Amino acid sequence: TQLLEQSPQFLSIQEGENLTVYCNSSSVFSSLQWYRQEPGEGPVLLVTVVTGGEVKKLKRLTFQFGDARKDSSLHITAAQPGDTGLYLCAGANDYKLSFGAGTTVTVRA
Amino acid sequence: NAGVTQTPKFQVLKTGQSMTLQCAQDMNHEYMSWYRQDPGMGLRLIHYSVGAGITDQGEVPNGYNVSRSTTEDFPLRLLSAAPSQTSVYFCASSYGDGGELFFGEGSRLTVL
């Protein structure tokens, strides 16, 4: 059983549409990270959120950490084909980073 | 600055064979870890180390050994390979607790 549940597992949208990926857990984390992974490569960090209720924006990407620090969401506005990839959330506690199963996002041109 | 370097990138083993996946980082990170990635299961932590001489188990440690004799190196040993260990393995390092993880490019292992 995954400590972090991500939904949906797969998402296919048209260029220009918006999308949201969810990351939920029953555990509280000291921080939560979002990574993006492309085929044949290791994941690369997008953002770290630390404070409950925190919202961070990275160009067209908006990340939110839940008030109770158990859940998070990633929203992409006006998705582009370059946003295609596997999005992973990861919760940090005591030097252990636990990952969700990931959401595969495909943006069609 | 090479970051995190894993070798080999690909390996095929027969059941019962042993092997070592090598991992080295040149960023002077104290924290290093090994994950395996399987379809639909994300990344699962195998072992981690918070500094030279210190290692601990993650979620799925059975069948794997690690050691950390230097800050730079963190090898992962498969003692007696099983088909269930077919996976993509990632080594990662960070400055410390909750810090950004820097990943290697992965090692794809197939056990027949």
Side-chain angles (χ1 to χ4, degrees):
Chain A
T1 306
Q2 301 280 154
L3 192 59
L4 286 151
E5 298 290 336
Q6 281 189 244
S7 61
Q9 188 176 356
F10 299 97
L11 199 53
S12 179
I13 59 171
Q14 202 68 34
E15 182 177 3
E17 293 181 337
N18 302 333
L19 69 95
T20 302
V21 176
Y22 299 94
C23 176
N24 295 295
S25 177
S26 57
S27 300
V28 176
F29 296 104
S30 58
S31 67
L32 198 135
Q33 302 175 0
W34 284 92
Y35 290 80
R36 192 175 97 181
Q37 184 179 19
E38 302 201 14
E41 299 181 7
V44 175
L45 181 71
L46 294 173
V47 78
T48 300
V49 284
V50 178
T51 306
E54 181 177 2
V55 177
K56 277 193 175 177
K57 292 192 175 184
L58 204 68
K59 297 183 181 178
R60 293 176 295 99
L61 278 61
T62 302
F63 303 85
Q64 185 158 9
F65 201 12
D67 291 340
R69 290 188 289 132
K70 292 182 181 181
D71 55 88
S72 182
S73 63
L74 156 62
H75 182 79
I76 301 179
T77 304
Q80 299 176 358
D83 296 325
T84 293
L86 176 66
Y87 289 82
L88 296 155
C89 66
N93 271 330
D94 297 328
Y95 285 97
K96 293 184 184 180
L97 201 62
S98 300
F99 283 82
T103 296
T104 300
V105 172
T106 303
V107 183
R108 304 185 304 275
Chain B
N1 194 344
V4 178
T5 304
Q6 288 182 235
T7 56
K9 289 194 186 309
F10 300 95
Q11 183 73 48
V12 179
L13 291 177
K14 294 182 179 177
T15 297
Q17 287 185 316
S18 62
M19 76 157 299
T20 299
L21 297 175
Q22 301 290 345
C23 177
Q25 52 92 8
D26 61 0
M27 297 174 282
N28 202 32
H29 287 168
E30 289 296 323
Y31 179 86
M32 296 186 74
S33 55
W34 276 102
Y35 287 86
R36 60 177 288 173
Q37 186 172 35
D38 302 291
M41 303 192 72
L43 289 152
R44 291 182 291 169
L45 182 63
I46 304 171
H47 285 286
Y48 65 100
S49 168
V50 299
I54 306 169
T55 64
D56 207 345
Q57 296 180 350
E59 304 167 58
V60 288
N62 292 342
Y64 307 95
N65 266 359
V66 291
S67 59
R68 185 93 180 272
S69 56
T70 67
T71 299
E72 294 78 19
D73 301 298
F74 191 44
L76 177 72
R77 296 182 188 85
L78 280 71
L79 309 172
S80 177
S84 61
Q85 293 178 304
T86 293
S87 187
V88 180
Y89 292 85
F90 286 96
C91 179
S93 71
S94 77
Y95 290 110
D97 191 11
E100 174 183 0
L101 275 182
F102 293 83
F103 285 86
E105 292 185 337
S107 299
R108 184 175 293 274
L109 175 67
T110 301
V111 182
L112 303 174

